[in-house]
Amino acid sequence: IVYIDGTSEVHGILASGTTPLGTRWEQVGCEKPIGTAEVSNEIQNTALATALKDRVEFLEAELVSFGVGDQVISYDSYIQVDTRYYRPSATKIAYKLGVGGDKFVGRQLSNGAWVKARTLGAEPEYLLALGEGFNLSITRKKVWELEALTDAHFMEQSYHDNDLNAAGIDSVFHATLIAAGLDLETLKMAADDRRYLDCTLEKAGISKPGDRVKIVKAIYPKA
């Protein structure tokens, strides 16, 4: 499970920063996986099915050579190998935006990288995303590495104030939003679901419905 500061980038981040779907498989038994009744979820690929008889981990280049690159692999995908079924093994996702999530997720480091997610497990890690032109580079940091940082390693509040001001969000809300990890970029990602955004703003401390409406309209003027 990971905490992540938005839903629109989650699959791309996990594919870039952790194990891409399809490179690791797990056997799930002799019965067709529950919840995969749709024919489109079944991977029809003889080369992959044959390879899975010997091992369950592959390089991305191998998947391409198998011809799997032409098919969409999702968390619900499965493939039949003789009498058994296999599914992609991957990190499950729990979306968490700002409030109630993690004190680092949603913050930006002084080098421009955003702390996008924290995995849960025996040795949790943070996923950091840095956009450079059309490239998105992902790095991992141990919890202790971020704990060792000071406020000087993160972008100053004034940086986010400028973004919020430019969007037309009243400055009276800035401190509350930023403290909750809700900078402009994060707000825009959450705005894909405006009811979710409204709930998130309320949890952040924007208690008046009218104030929440103003923020939503500032992000999407035509809302």
Side-chain angles (χ1 to χ4, degrees):
I1 299 175
V2 302
Y3 284 119
I4 192 152
D5 75 336
T7 61
S8 63
E9 295 177 275
V10 63
H11 295 294
I13 289 172
L14 291 178
S16 300
T18 61
T19 304
L21 278 177
T23 56
R24 183 180 300 159
W25 296 76
E26 58 184 355
Q27 185 186 129
V28 292
C30 298
E31 296 184 4
K32 183 179 295 187
I34 296 175
T36 56
E38 296 290 337
V39 176
S40 61
N41 288 335
E42 182 173 6
I43 300 295
Q44 300 282 355
N45 189 285
T46 302
L48 175 60
T50 300
L52 281 168
K53 294 179 182 180
D54 299 318
R55 54 197 173 96
V56 294
E57 294 189 18
F58 306 95
L59 299 174
E60 289 183 82
E62 290 181 291
L63 295 179
V64 173
S65 70
F66 295 156
V68 180
D70 296 329
Q71 297 175 280
V72 176
I73 298 178
S74 70
Y75 293 104
D76 292 326
S77 296
Y78 66 92
I79 185 170
Q80 184 173 356
V81 181
D82 294 333
T83 60
R84 298 186 179 278
Y85 290 91
Y86 289 75
R87 294 181 69 169
S89 176
T91 303
K92 296 297 182 182
I93 301 166
Y95 298 110
K96 209 73 173 176
L97 179 62
V99 179
D102 182 271
K103 65 180 179 180
F104 293 118
V105 173
R107 298 183 67 183
Q108 187 178 25
L109 292 169
S110 56
N111 67 356
W114 288 88
V115 184
K116 287 295 184 180
R118 171 177 165 160
T119 62
L120 293 182
E123 296 184 4
E125 294 180 312
Y126 285 98
L127 299 184
L128 279 62
L130 177 63
E132 298 175 308
F134 291 103
N135 297 318
L136 182 68
S137 59
I138 306 298
T139 57
R140 296 182 180 214
K141 294 290 184 182
K142 299 293 185 182
V143 173
W144 67 264
E145 292 182 281
L146 285 195
E147 292 283 1
L149 299 180
T150 66
D151 287 341
H153 292 94
F154 294 90
M155 287 291 191
E156 296 292 332
Q157 178 172 327
S158 58
Y159 175 89
H160 297 301
D161 278 334
N162 292 336
D163 281 348
L164 295 172
N165 274 326
I169 296 176
D170 196 312
S171 60
V172 71
F173 305 123
H174 291 190
T176 300
L177 293 173
I178 294 170
L182 301 176
D183 54 58
L184 184 61
E185 180 183 345
T186 305
L187 286 169
K188 285 184 175 180
M189 289 191 291
D192 288 342
D193 183 337
R194 290 171 186 169
R195 285 182 297 180
Y196 175 65
L197 174 58
D198 180 76
C199 180
T200 299
L201 291 172
E202 185 175 14
K203 288 180 179 179
I206 311 298
S207 58
K208 296 181 180 179
D211 290 339
R212 298 198 296 273
V213 170
K214 290 178 183 178
I215 294 174
V216 172
K217 287 188 174 182
I219 299 172
Y220 283 103
K222 296 181 180 180

